[in-house]
Amino acid sequence: MVALVIAEIHVLFVIHITERLHWGESFMENGDDVRQDRVVEARARNISHNVRCTECGSQSIEDSQADIAILLRKLIRDEIRSGKNDKEIYKKLEEDFGETVLYTPKFDIQTAAIWLAPLTLTGGAVLIWAFKRYRRKNNVHIMALDLVRGVPLTPKEKEAMLELLTPPSTRWWGKWLPR
């Protein structure tokens, strides 16, 4: 059994070497075909990674072994061979299967809240943080002490005064957030 497998590997290796050594016109044409097949395969894999399997839902059609995923991969390769670009293929898939088949939905009025929510929340958090920091640096009590003494407080004195003058937080999150 092992000898048979080794003999088959040897025959395949010899066939491969003889094909490589053949430098005729047919080899050059085959080389172009191989190069074109590699380009088609690379484009098809790239598109397949961005398309959701309609049967599995959580896998791309590249990773899925469902029948519909296999058919979609074949459809994508056929579309590439027919000369369509990636945008046209995505558009065809979206028209045939709906927008949910794509992992990256387009930006429009319906998806604006989903796309802008992280930016809005981050911006709001930064504004709250900046306001609290500004308010902490410009505490009225410390400014009054500076005027009474005539000499500005050192940073260490300011920090000590803030600890004394700032009331403890009564909010539940105040225990864990620095003031």
Side-chain angles (χ1 to χ4, degrees):
M1 179 72 176
V2 174
L4 182 63
V5 171
I6 292 173
E8 283 183 31
I9 291 173
H10 181 67
V11 169
L12 290 174
F13 180 72
V14 170
I15 291 172
H16 177 71
I17 293 297
T18 55
E19 285 178 357
R20 286 285 187 183
L21 293 176
H22 187 268
W23 291 97
E25 231 175 82
S26 64
F27 179 73
M28 297 302 272
E29 290 173 5
N30 288 341
D32 290 341
D33 290 344
V34 169
R35 214 172 292 120
Q36 186 178 4
D37 285 345
R38 286 184 182 169
V39 169
V40 167
E41 186 64 27
R43 281 184 59 201
R45 284 182 182 269
N46 185 31
I47 293 171
S48 296
H49 280 294
N50 296 319
V51 177
R52 185 186 322 265
C53 176
T54 56
E55 191 172 314
C56 305
S58 63
Q59 288 182 319
S60 68
I61 61 170
E62 186 65 31
D63 301 329
S64 175
Q65 292 302 318
D67 292 337
I68 187 73
I70 295 168
L71 290 172
L72 283 173
R73 288 194 300 259
K74 184 180 179 327
L75 171 79
I76 289 171
R77 283 170 179 77
D78 291 342
E79 294 292 323
I80 291 172
R81 285 189 186 102
S82 70
K84 291 189 177 177
N85 63 21
D86 292 0
K87 285 187 178 186
E88 291 172 338
I89 295 171
Y90 284 128
K91 188 172 182 175
K92 178 176 177 36
L93 290 170
E94 186 179 348
E95 288 171 359
D96 292 348
F97 298 99
E99 189 177 335
T100 57
V101 79
L102 302 178
Y103 273 121
T104 53
K106 59 185 174 185
F107 184 82
D108 60 2
I109 216 64
Q110 294 174 338
T111 59
I114 294 170
W115 284 101
L116 297 177
L119 295 174
T120 306
L121 292 173
T122 304
V126 166
L127 285 175
I128 290 170
W129 175 79
F131 177 72
K132 283 189 168 205
R133 189 155 171 97
Y134 171 78
R135 200 168 130 207
R136 182 175 177 188
K137 282 186 176 181
N138 296 332
N139 194 323
V140 176
H141 302 295
I142 292 177
M143 293 170 72
L145 260 172
D146 285 345
L147 287 174
V148 170
R149 281 183 59 194
V151 178
L153 295 175
T154 64
K156 201 174 204 180
E157 290 173 331
K158 277 186 182 181
E159 196 171 318
M161 289 303 295
L162 276 174
E163 287 294 322
L164 291 172
L165 295 174
T166 307
S169 177
T170 57
R171 296 184 184 104
W172 63 271
W173 62 83
K175 297 175 186 176
W176 297 284
L177 293 178
R179 284 186 265 172

